[in-house]
Amino acid sequence: METTRSWRRVAVATVAAGVVATALTVPSTPAGAQPAGISAAAADSLVEKLGVGRTAGTWLDTKSGRMVVAVTDTDAQKAVVSAGGVAKLVAHSDADLATIKAQVRATVDFAGVAWGVEAESNRVTIEADNTVTAANYERLTAIARQHGDAVQVQRVNAQLKPFIQGGRFITPNKGSVYGSCSVGFNVRKKNNPNSLYILTAGHCTKMAVGVRDWFDKNGEYVGYDAGGDYPGNDFGLIKHNNAGLSKPGNVWLDSGDAVRDIVYSRDSRVNETVCSSGWRTGYRCGKVLSKNWEAKYYDWDQDGNLDYVWELDRTDLCTLGGDSGGSVFHQDAALGLVSGGPENQCITYVQPVNEALAHYGVEVY
């Protein structure tokens, strides 16, 4: 039984809205300059050095293969170019856009909305799902009108929520697909490499409160709940407790026996190609559209509060209900766990994996 290849998927339906202008940008690198490429880490270092008031994110330019740093003044532009990077001059800084995000956060007291910064477009995008009323949609567009081209609102014809279904799954209810999820990554404790766990979505393990045992699709015992952080974050842990099950550090790629070995973890980069695997959709690839998105799902954990989750990667992976908690990766690097998205819309929100690994003191292998 390949419990480790199981994939869990969480389809999150998004939000959406109406419309606003495009971001104002100015051509970046001075004419005639041919900047050399810099690494993602170097781009991040430049952002840290220049500060959020003079920068507006980084991304991978898919045509040139170079990392781009958005800046708001010509001195910052020169600093990036002098360091060997590609600079793009934009109108709105990260600090400006963060202020807008905070305004959205304070306004949205209803479910069905997700929002975040799109670095390439230099704006905050707000998505409202089909449960958002006309009155609440108007509250979102009112924010957009205040900030002009710094905000875009759009509607998505789906509901924003995480999904749990069966397939290549693990379930807390033996013999039933109810509450079933997919394995994200097999991990081990850093201070005890022989102590093995399954990393999956937090809304899976949180919804299994009081049902501590988990089983594979054949009804074989896998292990028990060892943690769940949701909402806020969306990651959970299951302790392997069956010596008879194989627990390789790879992920399943298709309906056959193909696997991808995972050897390390890192954060994703805007525009890079990423892949996922799940029982509903199999092995699919797409790209990271933007980072640090926030979403308000409906009350999935039934505690009477809207389920607010933040610091999500927004991707164009095509996933469906049943892929919740599944692995998101690039080649041999673990990047994240499927958290949700608008089903049939090819938009999937992803919980970054490094935060989850650090939280539990575990690592991929």
Side-chain angles (χ1 to χ4, degrees):
M1 191 61 231
E2 294 174 330
T3 308
T4 65
R5 298 180 188 172
S6 240
W7 298 89
R8 168 181 137 47
R9 149 142 225 275
V10 13
V12 299
T14 58
V15 290
V19 92
V20 198
T22 57
L24 173 65
T25 60
V26 182
S28 60
T29 309
Q34 297 295 326
I38 58 174
S39 67
D44 291 342
S45 294
L46 282 169
V47 168
E48 184 175 358
K49 179 180 179 180
L50 293 169
V52 295
R54 304 177 67 196
T55 59
T58 67
W59 62 89
L60 178 69
D61 181 76
T62 54
K63 293 183 178 179
S64 68
R66 297 188 177 103
M67 291 297 299
V68 179
V69 180
V71 295
T72 58
D73 63 72
T74 55
D75 286 341
Q77 179 185 36
K78 292 175 183 177
V80 172
V81 173
S82 296
V86 178
K88 181 176 182 180
L89 194 61
V90 298
H92 312 292
S93 70
D94 257 342
D96 297 333
L97 299 177
T99 298
I100 296 172
K101 285 178 61 178
Q103 183 181 357
V104 177
R105 189 180 309 124
T107 301
V108 176
D109 55 2
F110 48 91
V113 183
W115 61 95
V117 172
E118 294 185 278
E120 285 187 277
S121 301
N122 192 226
R123 67 188 176 200
V124 172
T125 293
I126 307 170
E127 296 179 325
D129 74 8
N130 56 15
T131 70
V132 174
T133 66
N136 283 335
Y137 187 81
E138 171 57 27
R139 293 169 65 186
L140 299 176
T141 57
I143 295 174
R145 286 194 294 270
Q146 293 175 34
H147 299 285
D149 64 2
V151 182
Q152 171 180 265
V153 184
Q154 57 193 28
R155 189 176 286 277
V156 175
N157 188 27
Q159 187 179 7
L160 182 65
K161 59 183 179 181
F163 287 84
I164 296 180
Q165 292 176 331
R168 285 182 77 91
F169 62 88
I170 48 175
T171 178
N173 298 283
K174 185 177 181 179
S176 171
V177 300
Y178 176 74
S180 59
C181 300
S182 298
V183 173
F185 300 99
N186 277 326
V187 296
R188 64 190 177 194
K189 281 287 187 180
K190 286 186 174 182
N191 60 3
N192 182 6
N194 293 319
S195 186
L196 304 181
Y197 297 80
I198 290 169
L199 190 65
T200 187
H203 69 262
C204 292
T205 55
K206 179 120 183 227
M207 287 300 291
V209 172
V211 188
R212 296 187 57 81
D213 291 333
W214 287 79
F215 303 85
D216 67 18
K217 66 180 181 181
N218 293 330
E220 186 169 2
Y221 175 61
V222 173
Y224 56 86
D225 289 348
D229 194 333
Y230 178 88
N233 297 307
D234 195 3
F235 47 74
L237 208 61
I238 296 169
K239 179 69 173 70
H240 273 300
N241 197 35
N242 185 341
L245 288 177
S246 175
K247 309 168 185 67
N250 56 36
V251 297
W252 175 68
L253 297 186
D254 58 26
S255 58
D257 294 326
V259 296
R260 173 65 50 76
D261 195 26
I262 300 296
V263 299
Y264 74 108
S265 65
R266 64 169 172 81
D267 293 332
S268 67
R269 299 187 289 270
V270 174
N271 274 347
E272 78 166 312
T273 298
V274 297
C275 299
S276 66
S277 179
W279 76 269
R280 285 289 303 278
T281 55
Y283 174 61
R284 297 289 184 91
C285 295
K287 71 176 183 178
V288 178
L289 301 175
S290 46
K291 296 177 67 65
N292 295 319
W293 270 58
E294 306 172 39
K296 283 198 174 177
Y297 302 143
Y298 78 105
D299 186 15
W300 179 253
D301 58 358
Q302 300 175 7
D303 65 355
N305 300 310
L306 297 180
D307 290 352
Y308 173 42
V309 184
W310 55 87
E311 294 183 354
L312 298 167
D313 291 347
R314 184 173 183 264
T315 73
D316 64 2
L317 289 167
C318 298
T319 55
L320 295 171
D323 292 332
S324 293
S327 313
V328 178
F329 53 97
H330 176 85
Q331 297 180 352
D332 58 356
L335 302 179
L337 305 165
V338 174
S339 173
E343 196 165 36
N344 296 315
Q345 301 290 319
C346 288
I347 294 294
T348 296
Y349 297 114
V350 174
Q351 162 69 53
V353 75
N354 271 345
E355 181 182 11
L357 296 173
H359 182 84
Y360 292 122
V362 295
E363 62 186 359
V364 297
Y365 58 87

